[in-house]
Amino acid sequence: DIDSFRMSSEKTTLLKIKNVTKDTNVEANNAWDDIDTCCPKHIKVDTKNLLKSINDTLPRISCDIPADEFLAKYVKKREPVILVNCTKDWIAQKEWSLKKLLSEKEGSLKWRSDFETQSSYFKKFENFDTLSGKLLNKIIETNGTIRIFDPLGKRKHTSGRKNGSKLDTDKMYLFSQYDKPYPVPGDYYEMSGILTDYQWIIISHKDTGTELHMDPDYTSPWNTVLSGHKWWVLMPPEVLPDAFLCDEKCSKIKEDDINVHSWFTHVLPQLRGRKWYGSTVKEFVQGPGETIYMPGNLAHAIMNIDENLSVTENYFLADSLDDWVHGIMAGEDLLDDESTGLDEEIFWRAMYFKHLEREDREAVRAMRDQVEYMVNFNGDACKDAEEEEEEEEDKTDESDDSDEEEEE
């Protein structure tokens, strides 16, 4: 009931209008219109001049902020913020470097990575998911460019160890060399006895990066830069990234290119100043010792200004409660598509009967009632969604079959 709506000083409410028709009276410009996503070829850019275009207004706060204040001001209000001086006692801050990490275990450990090189010798490794540290060091020595996004994989590697095997990607000993930033709340997944693979080490060369994307469902990330600098772009909440990616049909760049200059210099300038649901794009540069906390459902892109090293983890926090209840009631899996339902059951019981405060339980019940009301009020929408999902699965199966035939 909009007439009785009162803004909360403790939470952020997002309003979405459904079933819009030509008679719906909404006065606003369409922020999705007239955006050219035909990205040109990457060119050499003067990074220093490019950085002058960034209006970095993201607040910096001390890592000494009380945890309850951080929860109220940033987590529950879904506000991104940068924490400073969280890493002063970390071994990782003092000792980690690109060369040191890739040389661990005499370079035998494997890292999930991709690269670009002019050397024909290394071309045969382009389709490998993981490469040894020794090989990556050789690529670097021949002036190759690398981008490593390596999952420390607590769930995967703990399971492997329990089954009596230690994988060549197992680097879990590195967990002891850094900590959760103090103000960031504990991960409800871990508190509930559920391990995830939402922990990564990122090692990047200059000009590499990632295009606009969303993080795993029901999670909020923190990312700490240990050395070097990253240029971040955050879209407003609930704005999906697909409409703003470089169009594969007309762009002059390769799909999954590790260089993101083209998007940052061509598409991003068109997005500045536009408003989606009353909010604009945020940009900032993150440097050594700075930790970005970011709420979930926030599309973001990153360009590495120079060689840098960072560590990041994704947690289930209080800001994901509404999405979680809605998703689980809609039949979505908690962590992956191969769920047996056990994780969902364990997590629900632990959350509702152990971890949630009274206010949060009330919010969970309210969301449950809202979903049930919407289902009863508009049952046909659920049927339509199921049919669309089945059609997408059929298309995926057909595509997989076609790929297999081509391989044969």
Side-chain angles (χ1 to χ4, degrees):
D1 184 355
I2 299 301
D3 293 332
S4 62
F5 174 76
R6 295 291 182 272
M7 184 177 293
S8 169
S9 61
E10 299 177 352
K11 295 183 179 180
T12 297
T13 299
L14 302 176
L15 180 65
K16 185 177 289 187
I17 302 175
K18 300 186 68 176
N19 301 322
V20 176
T21 70
K22 64 181 180 180
D23 298 320
T24 304
N25 185 19
V26 179
E27 294 185 7
N29 294 322
N30 188 342
W32 283 267
D33 281 350
D34 303 321
I35 297 175
D36 177 13
T37 55
C38 294
C39 297
K41 288 183 178 180
H42 299 298
I43 58 173
K44 288 187 177 181
V45 178
D46 185 337
T47 306
K48 289 184 179 179
N49 283 331
L50 193 60
L51 293 178
K52 293 178 181 178
S53 66
I54 301 174
N55 182 23
D56 185 342
T57 59
L58 204 68
R60 267 76 171 171
I61 61 173
S62 171
C63 204
D64 294 330
I65 181 175
D68 55 351
E69 183 180 345
F70 186 83
L71 176 66
K73 283 187 175 180
Y74 299 102
V75 177
K76 290 197 171 182
K77 286 192 172 184
R78 302 188 179 189
E79 290 290 338
V81 68
I82 288 181
L83 293 159
V84 296
N85 296 326
C86 294
T87 66
K88 54 187 177 183
D89 297 322
W90 291 11
I91 294 174
Q93 179 67 83
K94 299 172 183 176
E95 298 184 4
W96 284 11
S97 67
L98 184 155
K99 187 172 184 179
K100 181 181 186 303
L101 288 175
L102 295 186
S103 300
E104 290 283 301
K105 311 295 183 184
E106 299 182 343
S108 63
L109 291 175
K110 291 192 174 180
W111 302 77
R112 181 172 294 176
S113 55
D114 41 21
F115 64 91
E116 291 181 351
T117 178
Q118 298 300 316
S119 172
S120 58
Y121 172 78
F122 297 110
K123 296 288 186 181
K124 59 186 176 183
F125 300 108
E126 285 183 334
N127 295 322
F128 285 43
D129 289 333
T130 60
L131 297 174
S132 70
K134 184 180 293 186
L135 182 60
L136 288 167
N137 269 325
K138 288 182 178 179
I139 293 173
I140 295 170
E141 290 168 3
T142 57
N143 295 320
T145 299
I146 65 167
R147 180 183 63 178
I148 295 174
F149 198 88
D150 189 70
L152 289 174
K154 189 176 290 186
R155 183 185 181 99
K156 173 183 176 181
H157 294 114
T158 298
S159 175
R161 290 184 181 188
K162 286 181 178 179
N163 292 329
S165 62
K166 189 172 182 181
L167 304 175
D168 55 11
T169 53
D170 188 341
K171 311 174 190 72
M172 289 208 298
Y173 66 94
L174 294 175
F175 283 126
S176 66
Q177 299 182 17
Y178 70 89
D179 296 304
K180 174 186 74 68
Y182 163 71
V184 177
D187 178 18
Y188 276 130
Y189 280 141
E190 187 163 1
M191 292 163 60
S192 301
I194 294 177
L195 298 180
T196 74
D197 288 329
Y198 299 156
Q199 313 88 22
W200 297 269
I201 289 178
I202 306 171
I203 305 174
S204 310
H205 272 165
K206 182 179 184 293
D207 297 340
T208 63
T210 54
E211 61 185 4
L212 276 178
H213 64 282
M214 305 281 270
D215 277 9
D217 291 340
Y218 317 131
T219 67
S220 301
W222 60 263
N223 181 305
T224 298
V225 167
L226 300 172
S227 61
H229 300 79
K230 292 179 179 290
W231 174 7
W232 288 72
V233 175
L234 309 184
M235 295 298 292
E238 306 296 334
V239 176
L240 299 178
D242 293 1
F244 313 107
L245 301 177
C246 292
D247 188 339
E248 295 176 12
K249 296 179 180 178
C250 60
S251 295
K252 305 298 184 182
I253 59 175
K254 298 182 298 182
E255 184 181 359
D256 297 327
D257 201 327
I258 67 174
N259 189 318
V260 292
H261 253 148
S262 186
W263 187 88
F264 272 77
T265 56
H266 180 72
V267 178
L268 175 58
Q270 301 176 67
L271 305 184
R272 291 175 175 143
R274 297 180 184 237
K275 286 189 175 183
W276 292 266
Y277 312 124
S279 299
T280 58
V281 169
K282 288 183 172 71
E283 298 177 63
F284 61 92
V285 175
Q286 180 189 18
E290 291 189 329
T291 298
I292 170 68
Y293 163 76
M294 193 171 66
N297 289 333
L298 215 59
H300 52 285
I302 301 151
M303 188 169 92
N304 299 300
I305 298 171
D306 46 24
E307 181 182 303
N308 63 69
L309 171 61
S310 62
V311 61
T312 181
E313 296 194 4
N314 281 56
Y315 291 172
F316 188 115
L317 301 179
D319 65 323
S320 293
L321 289 175
D322 289 351
D323 287 341
W324 166 56
V325 175
H326 180 277
I328 294 303
M329 291 186 70
E332 296 178 5
D333 296 320
L334 189 63
L335 295 177
D336 55 50
D337 295 334
E338 299 178 359
S339 171
T340 62
L342 183 60
D343 283 339
E344 286 79 0
E345 180 71 17
I346 292 173
F347 191 61
W348 172 265
R349 290 182 178 278
M351 288 291 286
Y352 194 81
F353 296 109
K354 186 176 181 181
H355 300 308
L356 295 183
E357 301 290 340
R358 179 179 178 180
E359 178 186 355
D360 290 329
R361 288 198 300 271
E362 289 175 353
V364 165
R365 290 196 296 271
M367 174 54 69
R368 177 201 62 192
D369 294 343
Q370 180 182 343
V371 174
E372 288 180 346
Y373 171 79
M374 292 299 293
V375 170
N376 294 330
F377 178 75
N378 194 12
D380 290 339
C382 293
K383 293 179 181 178
D384 293 341
E386 289 177 358
E387 291 175 359
E388 289 179 5
E389 187 174 339
E390 289 176 359
E391 289 177 3
E392 287 297 321
E393 289 178 356
D394 290 341
K395 289 179 181 178
T396 301
D397 291 341
E398 290 175 3
S399 175
D400 291 343
D401 291 342
S402 175
D403 290 342
E404 289 177 4
E405 288 175 4
E406 288 181 4
E407 290 176 4
E408 292 173 357

